Amino acid sequence: MNIIEIKQLNKYFGEGDNRTHILKEINLEIKKGDFIAIIGQSGSGKSTLMNIIGCLDSLNSGSYKISNTEVSQLNSDQLSELRQRKFGFIFQRYNLLSALSALENVALPAIYAGVDQQSRLQRAAQLLEKLGLKDKLQHKPNQLSGGQQQRVSIARALMNGGEIILADEPTGALDSKSGETVMEILQQLHAEGHTIILVTHDKKIADFANRVIEIKDGQIIQDQRKSAHIAAKSETIQPKKSRWRFYKDQFIESFKMSVNAIIAHKLRSLLTMLGIIIGITSVVSVVALGNGSQQKILENINSMGTNTMDIFNGTGFGDRRAERMQNLTVADSEILAKQSYIESATPNSSVSGNLTYRNQSFSAQVRGVGEQYFDVKGMKLKQGRLFSQDEVKQNAQVAVIDENSVKQVFNQQNPLGEIVMINKKPLKVIGVAAMNSMGPTTSSLSIYTPYTTAMNKISGNQKIDSITVKVNDEVNSSVAEKDLTQLLEVRHGKKDFFVMNTNTIKQTIESTTDTMKLLISSIALISLVVGGIGVMNIMLVSVTERTKEIGVRMAIGAKQSNILQQFLIEAVLICLIGGITGILLSMLLGEIFNLVTTNFTMVFSTTSVLAAVFCSTIIGVVFGYMPAKNAAGLNPINALSRE
Ligand SMILES: Nc1ncnc2c1ncn2[C@@H]1O[C@H](COP(=O)(O)OP(=O)(O)OP(=O)(O)O)[C@@H](O)[C@H]1O
Ligand SMILES: [Mg+2]
């Protein structure tokens, strides 16, 4: 039975004027179980013919059938499968993968064939043992002699069965003793039923074969049969196919190769990762800083009292006429307080005054407020008591002072019960209010007194600066704001006041810090893109460096998708390691930042960390795809001939 049938095969190299006819009208039939030597001078086209037979190279015209399948009609995946199933390659220069041990090199073809790990390692060990390399299983190629490496490559050729063994000058790089050993092994394999095609320029080597074909200038000039071929008992490995294991093993293999490649070029990988590290560190840190400051600001706002609103005279902040306006009245406040959606409303009437105590004089802000003011504003009492509703009604001459005043006026002595003069009117100090975290950090003095006292006893006019309103918790604050605006508008006949709603401020601050975070993050994203381009660059270099390796993998049965996967994993791995390093780095920065500053802390959110990981993976995929695609698209024979 003919396993190989070649009819009128032509092969050209080059284009246009450089086009040369290398193989001319070749006709060749090879029987299963034959041992063929192709001889001829250098440049006669032996290797070219061999590469076409091995499905590594294509033909220009004619027909080539393996087991009655026309090869030129197969796509690249089918060709890979054919190489993997039918052929075992033995190269002049062994072409072992230097990062893998002898055992792993031998087992590699079985990974692409989808054999499970245990059986493939077992078979690889058996083959190596049979070839006298029992104690060299874990040796790397550079720890083996040439003859030993060639035996490893023979074992690799047999791994998937090696029905047809193609050997291009297998003894060319060996001393005569090792060369003889290799030839004896090939003879032995022939006896076991393998079909062997050998290329050599050495007549003595050709003597081992039982059919010698001589090529000259791309034509067969002699075909000499010395002995009958041996009817083959074919041995094809039929792997138990399991799709899941197939993908898993190939993934693990690609992963291992990627790790090896990264480790082999530590400094280069690190420098490549640097772009990603910087990018991720800045994005994660910026977001954490933003979160931290936002939290701090919101805390401060909350301490101003939740669900509170202040109503002021005028059309808005910065309205200069507001000082002189008297639009808001105590009656407004009283009406508001009666609304069902309002918990309390208190008028505020402030006046700046002159505070005298024991011959010392200070300027102070006298804040006339209602008794609920402290509660609504979330102010805490530090000492003494607050004034009561009765005291407000009775224009009681009492005052709650702030901590600044205790410090400056009373020199930290107990102020309770003391009398201070405000604009020559005496007020009795009954309490001390704790410093509001949002309150003025200046050293100005604030004196709180009932608004009735402030209006009737101190300033002497009925002017109200603002009304502080606390809305019921279950009421939506913007609905309440709309309602009370309407109410006051009707009362005043026009809108001569404005409302400051803490909830709205909160939302505004949230949205502005979110915008800031987004803005700065997008700037940091640019550095991620730059990092990604660095990764792409290195991957392109890596593909170029490992072209030979890609060729070897393809020759032993790797599909384009396997090669694509391997390089893609490498790119993603670089980015992912960079990304995780970036996250750890920014967390370290955060720790240091939190130790050094007391103002606010950096807050890391799971979302931003996950987004960073996701981001670096995507960068790996996006920027690794092109180089990986290049690698996968390589022509096996071009890749193999690269040094
Ligand atoms: N990729 C290529 N592009 C152009 N010409 C090529 C290419 N590969 C081989 N050739 C040419 O084809 C001819 C046959 O080359 P081939 O490698 O088949 O020779 P060979 O018989 O194997 O020689 P050797 O014994 O030296 O290995 C040579 O003249 C070579 O220059
Ligand atoms: Mg050659």
Side-chain angles (χ1 to χ4, degrees), residues 99-109 111 121 124 137-138 140 256:
L100 302 185
S101 68
L103 189 69
E104 288 168 325
N105 261 297
V106 174
L108 194 57
I111 291 176
L121 289 182
L137 300 189
Q138 298 308 330
K140 293 274 165 68
K256 266 201 278 187

Side-chain angles (χ1 to χ4, degrees), residues 31 63 96 158:
K31 287 200 161 55
S63 138
L96 299 175
L158 295 172

Side-chain angles (χ1 to χ4, degrees), residues 272-285 287 520-536 574-583 608-624:
T272 313
M273 285 172 198
L274 211 56
I276 304 290
I277 294 176
I278 293 172
I280 293 286
T281 310
S282 36
V283 174
V284 174
S285 305
V287 171
I520 303 177
S521 300
S522 21
I523 295 171
L525 266 178
I526 295 173
S527 84
L528 272 184
V529 171
V530 175
I533 293 171
V535 171
M536 174 144 75
I574 287 182
C575 292
L576 212 52
I577 295 174
I580 289 169
T581 314
I583 292 169
S608 71
V609 169
L610 287 181
V613 171
F614 179 74
C615 216
S616 32
T617 312
I618 289 294
I619 288 176
V621 172
V622 169
F623 289 95

Side-chain angles (χ1 to χ4, degrees), residues 302-326:
N302 285 342
S303 75
M304 273 165 55
T306 48
N307 248 5
T308 66
M309 282 176 226
D310 289 287
I311 307 163
F312 296 93
N313 287 317
T315 52
F317 285 114
D319 185 347
R320 284 155 184 264
R321 292 163 305 148
E323 274 289 300
R324 282 170 276 117
M325 285 182 179
Q326 298 206 7

Side-chain angles (χ1 to χ4, degrees), residues 46-47 168-169 199:
K46 307 183 294 292
S47 298
D168 193 347
E169 308 268 13
V199 163

Side-chain angles (χ1 to χ4, degrees), residues 41-329:
Q41 284 172 344
S42 177
S44 54
K46 307 183 294 292
S47 298
T48 309
L49 178 60
M50 181 77 124
N51 292 334
I52 290 176
I53 291 176
C55 301
L56 292 171
D57 208 350
S58 58
L59 44 95
N60 292 104
S61 70
S63 138
Y64 170 30
K65 283 185 183 161
I66 300 178
S67 310
N68 282 325
T69 313
E70 181 59 52
V71 170
S72 52
Q73 270 153 22
L74 303 179
N75 65 25
S76 84
D77 274 2
Q78 287 167 323
L79 286 174
S80 299
E81 199 151 313
L82 196 65
R83 285 196 290 269
Q84 177 198 102
R85 232 167 358 98
K86 290 268 178 195
F87 296 108
F89 291 91
I90 302 170
F91 303 94
Q92 181 174 0
R93 297 232 152 249
Y94 334 124
N95 286 350
L96 299 175
L97 301 191
S98 56
L100 302 185
S101 68
L103 189 69
E104 288 168 325
N105 261 297
V106 174
L108 194 57
I111 291 176
Y112 295 125
V115 181
D116 69 274
Q117 191 185 21
Q118 202 198 346
S119 3
R120 66 177 189 248
L121 289 182
Q122 206 174 0
R123 179 170 165 80
Q126 267 170 12
L127 286 169
L128 282 170
E129 195 173 329
K130 190 172 144 195
L131 296 177
L133 293 167
K134 192 180 175 191
D135 50 348
K136 307 282 184 201
L137 300 189
Q138 298 308 330
H139 286 228
K140 293 274 165 68
N142 61 6
Q143 297 166 323
L144 296 169
S145 74
Q148 288 167 339
Q149 287 187 60
Q150 194 59 300
R151 277 185 277 159
V152 172
S153 96
I154 293 173
R156 181 178 66 185
L158 295 172
M159 189 62 200
N160 283 344
E163 191 180 346
I164 307 171
I165 289 179
L166 302 176
D168 193 347
E169 308 268 13
T171 58
L174 300 176
D175 61 283
S176 57
K177 180 81 182 55
S178 310
E180 223 165 90
T181 314
V182 166
M183 288 318 295
E184 276 161 15
I185 294 169
L186 288 182
Q187 246 179 349
Q188 170 72 26
L189 292 175
H190 173 232
E192 286 169 12
H194 294 269
T195 309
I196 294 173
I197 304 173
L198 169 85
V199 163
T200 180
H201 59 271
D202 187 342
K203 283 250 178 349
K204 273 206 274 281
I205 297 290
D207 282 344
F208 283 88
N210 50 11
R211 181 179 168 195
V212 180
I213 294 170
E214 190 173 349
I215 292 192
K216 194 177 178 196
D217 294 332
Q219 282 173 313
I220 296 179
I221 55 164
Q222 205 179 13
D223 189 345
Q224 192 183 15
R225 175 164 294 286
K226 288 163 43 188
S227 56
H229 82 279
I230 295 172
K233 33 181 188 359
S234 82
E235 177 204 27
T236 333
I237 304 296
Q238 282 296 345
K240 287 190 266 44
K241 283 271 183 189
S242 145
R243 270 191 168 274
W244 159 240
R245 191 191 58 228
F246 182 66
Y247 289 121
K248 189 194 75 181
D249 282 9
Q250 302 203 347
F251 184 84
I252 292 173
E253 161 68 9
S254 305
F255 190 82
K256 266 201 278 187
M257 287 314 294
S258 311
V259 172
N260 280 340
I262 291 171
I263 290 174
H265 303 282
K266 286 189 203 68
L267 182 64
R268 190 169 87 183
S269 309
L270 183 74
L271 290 175
T272 313
M273 285 172 198
L274 211 56
I276 304 290
I277 294 176
I278 293 172
I280 293 286
T281 310
S282 36
V283 174
V284 174
S285 305
V286 162
V287 171
L289 269 173
N291 281 347
S293 59
Q294 191 179 45
Q295 253 182 33
K296 175 72 181 172
I297 294 172
L298 292 182
E299 246 168 52
N300 287 342
I301 292 183
N302 285 342
S303 75
M304 273 165 55
T306 48
N307 248 5
T308 66
M309 282 176 226
D310 289 287
I311 307 163
F312 296 93
N313 287 317
T315 52
F317 285 114
D319 185 347
R320 284 155 184 264
R321 292 163 305 148
E323 274 289 300
R324 282 170 276 117
M325 285 182 179
Q326 298 206 7
N327 308 329
L328 298 169
T329 60

